[in-house]
Amino acid sequence: MPAKLRYHAAPATPLSLAVVLALTVAGLLTLSGAEAANKQPQCGDTITADTRLHSDLVDCPSNGIVIGADDVTLDLNGHTISGDGEAFGQCPGREFCDFGVLNIGHDGVSVKKGSVRDFFNAGVLIGRVRENRVIDVSSKGNGFFGFVVSESARSLIRDSSGSRNPAPDGDGLGIFASHDIRVVDNSFKHNAQPGIHVALGSNDNVIEGNLISDSGPGILIEKADRNRVRRNRFVGNSAGLIVAPGSHNVIARNHLSGDGDGIAIEKGRDNVVKRNLVVGASGDGIYLGLDAPPVGGLDNVVRRNEVRGSGDDGFDVRRKDNHSVLTRNLAVGSGDDGFDIESRSTRLARNRATRNGDLGIAVRRGAIDRGGNRAGGNGDRRQCVQVKCHGAPRR
């Protein structure tokens, strides 16, 4: 088959690198104790006690609210903190400006029940923290990120929305140099860049039960290992989920529909892609490796996935991918091959292909046939090339 060019990871944005390397901030007014409970904070205030908004904060010229102590709860109380959408022109070089809610270094903080929008940098930033919680917060229209989690651990984003963060740089959520972060039951829609970007050594995180749609791509895992991505729904993204590179990640039981490509492991080792359903990808359903530049992974496992109606191949393994295993997968109705295996070291067993436009299973000479593959009703009467396959598979 002709070489195919696919999305591959771009360098992190300047903001994301700054978040990791220079987490410092200076607050303005500080509210504490009874004052915080009774007084409506203003744009730029630093809070050191539990605080509830009584009205919206509108057109903040720089930061919205800055967290200044551990174990603080900021209750937005259904209200909105909004920026003016423009860069703060007087921001000192090593300070952070233009964030809706900003927490650097304070543990045990909760932000809940409201919305943050239209900040030049990001809606919510938590950095160098532990045990933070962001619950039921909408963050949209921000220049770079809806949410950023940097150099942090054991924190949670739940029941929230990071959407409509615009071109050219807007991500729904960025997780950088962080571990044990749980991203559960959120939505990330209409972002110019990834719905969720996990990068720069962010390991052992859980991304579960989220809706990611109309973003580019849905989830990008870049230089991050041992993350678990499961039971998410992807709809209409430029690509569904890309690992480029990353190792020991588990991608399981996700539902993808109408994305560009479905799931890709472009580079990395010992990743597991299992029990996912990919429907109507305009490109490949699931692919391993990358043609340009030619790179691939090692010892990745793709098993018990179902791919239906891909515009190109159902499953595509590029030449530079090494020693991956494809077992018990199903490809139905792909525009080209059900399985297009260009790597000589791929091992195949008990895969099924039916009603694909060209071959059911096309294998380059030298790939390892572990038996039990089945193909029938495909456009090429040979059904399979360079692998033994039985007749029409059960659907």
Side-chain angles (χ1 to χ4, degrees), residues 32-256:
S32 60
E35 184 181 20
N38 296 320
K39 182 178 179 180
Q40 166 76 3
Q42 302 301 308
C43 293
D45 284 355
T46 297
I47 63 171
T48 58
D50 292 350
T51 300
R52 175 179 290 183
L53 293 190
H54 304 294
S55 61
D56 295 345
L57 299 183
V58 180
D59 291 334
C60 296
S62 181
N63 295 320
I65 298 293
V66 179
I67 306 298
D70 292 352
D71 301 316
V72 166
T73 294
L74 173 60
D75 184 356
L76 301 178
N77 193 29
H79 293 292
T80 297
I81 303 175
S82 65
D84 61 9
E86 298 179 359
F88 183 60
Q90 301 176 359
C91 188
R94 290 188 60 82
E95 294 182 6
F96 271 71
C97 302
D98 283 305
F99 293 87
V101 177
L102 181 61
N103 178 17
I104 307 299
H106 297 293
D107 298 336
V109 170
S110 294
V111 181
K112 64 181 184 179
K113 296 182 179 179
S115 64
V116 184
R117 60 183 300 168
D118 300 331
F119 283 87
F120 183 78
N121 282 325
V124 178
L125 166 62
I126 61 175
R128 294 180 180 166
V129 303
R130 298 175 68 87
E131 306 292 347
N132 271 223
R133 294 162 58 88
V134 178
I135 309 293
D136 192 16
V137 174
S138 169
S139 182
K140 66 181 181 179
N142 304 289
F144 286 88
F145 296 94
F147 304 93
V148 180
V149 179
S150 179
E151 296 186 81
S152 297
R154 298 189 180 280
S155 294
L156 170 69
I157 298 176
R158 191 184 72 204
D159 296 328
S160 296
S161 171
S163 299
R164 298 189 182 279
N165 297 290
D169 298 310
D171 291 22
L173 165 65
I175 302 175
F176 304 111
S178 297
H179 64 89
D180 295 292
I181 307 301
R182 297 180 64 233
V183 181
V184 182
D185 296 336
N186 307 284
S187 65
F188 301 93
K189 303 177 182 179
H190 299 283
N191 294 290
Q193 295 295 331
I196 302 175
H197 189 177
V198 183
L200 302 177
S202 290
N203 305 326
D204 302 300
N205 303 295
V206 174
I207 301 172
E208 182 172 9
N210 304 282
L211 170 62
I212 309 105
S213 69
D214 300 291
S215 298
I219 296 180
L220 173 61
I221 296 175
E222 183 182 16
K223 299 180 181 178
D225 304 329
R226 300 188 305 278
N227 296 287
R228 288 165 286 169
V229 182
R230 59 199 186 198
R231 299 184 185 277
N232 302 283
R233 186 181 177 197
F234 299 75
V235 182
N237 301 286
S238 66
L241 186 151
I242 297 174
V243 177
S247 297
H248 302 279
N249 298 289
V250 177
I251 300 161
R253 297 184 182 274
N254 300 284
H255 186 288
L256 301 93

Side-chain angles (χ1 to χ4, degrees), residues 265-267 288-297 318-321:
I265 308 295
E266 293 185 350
K267 188 176 181 182
L288 308 180
L290 191 65
D291 287 330
V295 296
R318 314 292 170 79
R319 294 190 181 190
K320 288 294 184 178
D321 191 75

Side-chain angles (χ1 to χ4, degrees), residues 270-326:
D270 295 303
N271 296 286
V272 176
V273 180
K274 64 180 182 179
R275 295 185 181 275
N276 300 283
L277 174 62
V278 182
V279 179
S282 60
D284 292 333
I286 296 175
Y287 73 84
L288 308 180
L290 191 65
D291 287 330
V295 296
L298 175 67
D299 293 329
N300 296 298
V301 175
V302 179
R303 68 170 182 259
R304 291 186 180 273
N305 300 282
E306 182 174 339
V307 175
R308 292 182 173 271
S310 295
D312 207 333
D313 297 321
F315 296 80
D316 186 3
V317 181
R318 314 292 170 79
R319 294 190 181 190
K320 288 294 184 178
D321 191 75
N322 296 289
H323 303 290
S324 291
V325 176
L326 276 70

